[in-house]
């Protein structure tokens, strides 16, 4: 199990077999426990043999009793769990990476049943939610969101379940007395659920609205310049004739009116 010849075990302590100090303490504690408490004991450890091979192992110690009820010895069963331990360590590393990835996402992830019931979630910014996400679990979307927005989601989920094609729902909700805009992507996620990826698009939406307003102002400015140009040309002609007429003796009596008109 540990890559050691069987005869090397006889007459030696764990320390003499090369068990490291930290592991020796674990062995000693459990061995003492066997003889003191007279109860089976289990623990895990790791070991590197003389060939440099590294192992993870599981130990089970069972006491053997004498006629007087005292513990004479213990049966030690060692199982090599290296492959299992490696798989477990890889799984934990994968979970850690996934948590780091999720914590970096600005989006809200929600699992809904095909009927629209909240199953699970991940929220990086819970303070930007319409209601407490924990309070949603097990509830239908119509119990949580305003009717209009809830119906949008119900219709979109039905289309996703039917076609398998991603649906995008845009909606707005009041968050902390401020109207926020959201975009939700609904994706089929197995036979009985959908994944909803919600992104807060308030800043982008307001930016688009501001750009639209500026475009309108630009258009108004161009129209004003065009109209001004079209009006200025005939008015210049009128002004020229008024100046010309004001200099003629025949219109001398109207000079004040010409000045006012000019």
């Amino acid at each position: 199990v540990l890559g050691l010849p069987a005869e090397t075990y006889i007459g030696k302590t764990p320390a003499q077999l090369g068990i490291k100090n930290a592991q020796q303490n674990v062995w000693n504690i459990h061995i003492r426990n066997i003889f003191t408490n007279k109860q089976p004991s289990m623990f895990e450890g790791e070991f590197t043999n003389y060939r440099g091979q590294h192992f993870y192992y599981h130990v089970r110690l069972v006491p053997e009793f004498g006629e007087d009820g005292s513990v004479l010895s213990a049966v030690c069963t060692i199982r090599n769990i290296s492959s299992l331990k490696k798989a477990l360590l890889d799984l934990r590393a994968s979970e850690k990476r996934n948590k780091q990835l999720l914590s970096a996402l600005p989006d809200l992830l929600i699992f809904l049943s095909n009927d629209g019931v909240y199953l699970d979630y991940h929220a990086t910014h819970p303070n930007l939610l319409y209601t407490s996400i924990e309070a949603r679990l097990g509830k239908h979307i119509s119990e949580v969101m305003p009717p209009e927005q809830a119906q949008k989601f119900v219709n979109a989920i039905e289309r996703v379940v039917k076609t398998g094609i991603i649906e995008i729902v845009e909606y707005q909700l009041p968050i902390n007395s401020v109207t926020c805009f959201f975009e939700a992507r609904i994706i089929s996620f197995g036979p009985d659920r959908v994944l909803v990826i919600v992104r807060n698009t308030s800043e982008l939406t307001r930016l688009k609205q501001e750009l639209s307003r500026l475009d309108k102002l630009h258009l108004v400015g161009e129209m004003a310049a065009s109209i001004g140009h079209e009006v200025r040309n005939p008015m210049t002609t009128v002004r020229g004739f008024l100046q010309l007429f004001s200099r003629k003796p025949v219109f001398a009596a109207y000079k004040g009116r010409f000045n006012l008109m000019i």
Side-chain angles (χ1 to χ4, degrees), residues 2 4 9 12-28 31 43-50 55-57 59 76 78:
L2 298 181
L4 296 174
Y9 289 94
K12 293 184 179 180
T13 65
Q16 292 170 331
L17 289 174
I19 302 292
K20 293 181 179 179
N21 289 335
Q23 291 292 309
Q24 290 177 30
N25 293 334
V26 174
W27 277 86
N28 293 335
I31 290 173
F43 65 96
E44 292 181 3
E46 52 185 304
F47 175 72
T48 302
N49 66 13
Y50 65 97
F55 299 93
Y56 290 95
Y57 57 84
V59 178
C76 175
I78 304 177

Side-chain angles (χ1 to χ4, degrees), residues 242 245-246 248-261:
L242 288 173
F245 291 157
S246 66
K248 292 183 177 294
V250 67
F251 295 119
Y254 302 101
K255 189 171 184 178
R257 294 183 182 179
F258 283 138
N259 290 336
L260 176 62
M261 292 169 70

Side-chain angles (χ1 to χ4, degrees), residues 25-34 41-43 61:
N25 293 334
V26 174
W27 277 86
N28 293 335
I29 290 171
H30 285 273
I31 290 173
R32 283 198 301 268
N33 181 61
I34 283 287
S41 188
M42 293 184 293
F43 65 96
L61 295 168

